[in-house]
Amino acid sequence: MKCFSRYLPYIFRPPTTILSSTCHTEADIISTVEFNPSGELLATGDKGGRVVVFQREQETKSEPQRRGEYNVYSTFQSHDPEFDYLKSLEIEEKINKIRWLPQQNAAYFLLSTNDKTVKLWKISERDRRPEGYNLKDEDGRIRDPSTITSLRVPVLQNTDLMVEATARRVFSNAHTYHINSISVNSDLQTYISTDDLRVNLWNLEITDQSFNIVDIKPCNMEDLTEVITAAEFHPQQCNTLAYSSSRGSVRLCDMRKQALCDTHCKFFEEPEDPSTRSFFSEIISSISDIKFSHSGRFLMTRDYLTVKVWDLNMETRPVQTYQVHDYLRGKLCSLYENDCIFDKFECVWNGSDSVIMTGSYNNFFRMFDRNTKKDVTLEASRENSKPRAILKPRKVCVGGKRRKDEVTVDSLDFSKKILHSAWHPQENIIAVAASNNLYIFQDKVT
């Protein structure tokens, strides 16, 4: 298991105000975190509809340790609150998901979505500006053509570096229900957006038309027994996608088979043990996140209490099951009363698919090494760690006498939770979001 040191604690603040570490609004809470394919950029979205992009510092001979630190690269307002007058429904500006597109040129592209609308953003640099217009003066005002007595050739002058974010596409009016996930296809031409009952396929160049490829809405809504919770494309096979449901199952679909993927080609579900069934069984079995491994061989699912790894060649049972916080099984009643049982935790792979990470309560996050079978609990907290200090493993005392540095189950703070996290695609650098704080950790620097 890797030993992580705290590398850069960045306190997320709105771009127009400076807030203390204890003063923040609901709009400042981070709602998604995502590295770009190279890991050089890291994007966060918040409940206020803002996207903040961080760029990794380049290593220098004088300060080699700065390699790995991330600083603010660009900040822009991605979505604004809207109102659907036909349905008398307010549409929040909260950013639900961010997905990067592989870089094709000097500019970067990312998709961001709120409950109803997906936007394609271009982030580019500009360090020159044209000067010497014939029809404009220096202030940009149009000149009278009759006053122009000579023509000049415009030239490009060097200026300070500017980072611009431009909305290139807006994909809207295709979802009746709230969008919970988006995923870019490996063909780099299409992507899917998913709500509670449907999965739509889009072409990145076409904004006024999408194809409905999954539709589980029954004719009578009273017959509805499950909803779609997440969907993702296979990392190599552009025809393959998977989507999870609130009943704890995952369906693998092949778009070559038919246009509407109502019938799945593989079905992954672990049979429930009748002896452990309770009132909360259906709630805690709901899958909150799914992720294909980078190799494409495995599929990881996260439900309320566990993380499961499935081999795509074996549908009967998961090849690995990891207990994230099984000590909460006896507190499900109180978690149901305070609505924490409906929290949706994400899960991520490391670059080599050997370690998986997911969040928990009390600002704890868990790592599981698939090879050594070891696991560790770490905490993202401003109080108990300093920059470049080694994170100490934390333990939760389930019963008996509590040891030093252990935390009892009753003392866990359920208002502090790690729902969103990301892992650098090549290196052991992780980013975890805790409320309005973004923590970035990396391997111990030697």
Side-chain angles (χ1 to χ4, degrees):
M1 182 61 62
K2 299 294 183 181
C3 180
F4 281 83
S5 63
R6 189 176 195 191
Y7 207 83
L8 173 67
Y10 177 77
I11 308 306
F12 182 82
R13 299 185 176 95
T16 56
T17 59
I18 298 179
L19 303 178
S20 67
S21 60
T22 57
C23 178
H24 67 273
T25 63
E26 182 78 10
D28 303 327
I29 296 177
I30 299 174
S31 55
T32 184
V33 183
E34 186 78 7
F35 279 103
N36 78 327
S38 69
E40 293 301 305
L41 298 181
L42 171 66
T44 66
D46 66 14
K47 290 189 175 182
R50 293 179 295 262
V51 172
V52 179
V53 180
F54 302 90
Q55 185 180 46
R56 192 178 187 185
E57 284 288 331
Q58 297 301 314
E59 182 178 349
T60 61
K61 292 183 179 180
S62 59
E63 293 180 303
Q65 72 277 8
R66 288 186 63 85
R67 175 64 175 170
E69 293 189 8
Y70 285 79
N71 292 317
V72 176
Y73 179 64
S74 176
T75 302
F76 57 92
Q77 188 73 27
S78 174
H79 289 72
D80 294 304
E82 301 177 31
F83 189 81
D84 188 334
Y85 293 96
L86 293 177
K87 299 181 180 179
S88 297
L89 181 69
E90 290 185 1
I91 302 174
E92 292 183 346
E93 64 271 34
K94 172 191 169 187
I95 306 298
N96 293 337
K97 292 291 180 182
I98 291 175
R99 289 292 181 265
W100 290 92
L101 276 65
Q103 189 175 5
Q104 303 292 320
N105 49 43
Y108 302 95
F109 290 86
L110 64 80
L111 290 169
S112 62
T113 182
N114 65 350
D115 287 339
K116 298 292 183 180
T117 304
V118 183
K119 294 184 179 182
L120 174 66
W121 289 92
K122 176 184 178 182
I123 303 172
S124 56
E125 297 180 355
R126 188 176 68 179
D127 57 2
R128 293 184 179 184
R129 67 176 182 182
E131 291 185 357
Y133 287 106
N134 291 289
L135 298 178
K136 295 181 181 179
D137 59 20
E138 294 180 355
D139 297 327
R141 291 174 296 188
I142 303 298
R143 297 173 60 184
D144 184 358
S146 62
T147 63
I148 301 175
T149 58
S150 62
L151 296 178
R152 53 184 174 175
V153 178
V155 295
L156 292 175
Q157 297 289 347
N158 293 331
T159 61
D160 294 336
L161 179 66
M162 296 177 58
V163 180
E164 299 178 327
T166 308
R168 299 300 302 272
R169 304 278 190 279
V170 178
F171 307 89
S172 58
N173 302 322
H175 286 276
T176 305
Y177 307 96
H178 292 177
I179 299 174
N180 55 48
S181 59
I182 52 177
S183 179
V184 181
N185 200 347
S186 60
D187 63 10
L188 306 183
Q189 297 179 358
T190 58
Y191 77 93
I192 54 172
S193 58
T194 308
D195 63 27
D196 293 340
L197 298 179
R198 296 185 177 95
V199 178
N200 290 336
L201 177 68
W202 299 83
N203 188 296
L204 287 167
E205 301 294 329
I206 302 174
T207 61
D208 59 352
Q209 185 181 35
S210 65
F211 297 94
N212 179 226
I213 57 176
V214 175
D215 188 349
I216 65 170
K217 183 180 179 180
C219 296
N220 185 357
M221 286 296 286
E222 293 182 358
D223 298 331
L224 184 67
T225 59
E226 61 181 342
V227 296
I228 301 172
T229 56
E232 185 170 82
F233 267 119
H234 190 279
Q236 284 98 33
Q237 301 171 9
C238 62
N239 57 280
T240 304
L241 64 98
Y243 68 92
S244 58
S245 82
S246 57
R247 294 179 65 90
S249 61
V250 178
R251 292 169 173 84
L252 196 70
C253 302
D254 189 341
M255 293 190 296
R256 296 173 301 183
K257 187 175 180 180
Q258 57 187 32
L260 186 62
C261 300
D262 282 340
T263 58
H264 50 268
C265 59
K266 290 190 176 182
F267 182 78
F268 303 89
E269 184 177 36
E270 187 175 24
E272 182 183 5
D273 185 357
S275 62
T276 61
R277 182 168 179 78
S278 67
F279 170 78
F280 307 105
S281 295
E282 287 192 9
I283 301 176
I284 64 176
S285 66
S286 176
I287 295 175
S288 58
D289 193 21
I290 60 172
K291 292 284 173 58
F292 280 103
S293 63
H294 296 88
S295 66
R297 172 69 183 273
F298 300 98
L299 181 69
M300 174 170 55
T301 63
R302 170 71 205 262
D303 56 40
Y304 189 69
L305 295 178
T306 65
V307 172
K308 298 174 183 177
V309 178
W310 299 81
D311 189 326
L312 295 186
N313 297 325
M314 186 172 72
E315 306 171 53
T316 55
R317 65 181 184 274
V319 293
Q320 293 163 335
T321 300
Y322 300 99
Q323 301 294 333
V324 179
H325 38 217
D326 197 55
Y327 46 79
L328 296 181
R329 194 174 292 274
K331 299 181 69 66
L332 293 179
C333 185
S334 59
L335 291 169
Y336 178 79
E337 292 176 352
N338 61 19
D339 286 341
C340 284
I341 199 171
F342 301 105
D343 286 334
K344 300 183 183 301
F345 293 94
E346 297 177 1
C347 53
V348 292
W349 300 87
N350 72 336
S352 61
D353 300 331
S354 60
V355 182
I356 58 181
M357 177 178 67
T358 190
S360 183
Y361 293 104
N362 210 66
N363 278 359
F364 289 168
F365 57 96
R366 303 266 284 143
M367 290 184 178
F368 303 93
D369 193 313
R370 301 178 58 216
N371 297 327
T372 64
K373 309 301 180 185
K374 294 181 180 180
D375 64 88
V376 66
T377 301
L378 300 173
E379 182 180 5
S381 172
R382 289 162 47 92
E383 289 77 21
N384 66 355
S385 60
K386 298 179 181 179
R388 303 193 183 284
I390 297 176
L391 287 180
K392 296 181 179 179
R394 303 303 302 271
K395 290 187 178 181
V396 178
C397 177
V398 179
K401 188 177 180 180
R402 183 175 70 88
R403 297 180 181 179
K404 185 181 179 181
D405 296 332
E406 286 188 343
V407 181
T408 62
V409 177
D410 293 332
S411 65
L412 294 175
D413 189 345
F414 294 104
S415 65
K416 297 180 178 179
K417 59 193 79 172
I418 304 293
L419 300 178
H420 313 289
S421 56
W423 201 309
H424 191 286
Q426 284 94 34
E427 302 179 34
N428 280 322
I429 298 177
I430 59 174
V432 294
S435 184
N436 67 319
N437 298 337
L438 176 67
Y439 295 91
I440 300 177
F441 305 92
Q442 77 159 20
D443 253 347
K444 181 179 178 181
V445 180
T446 56

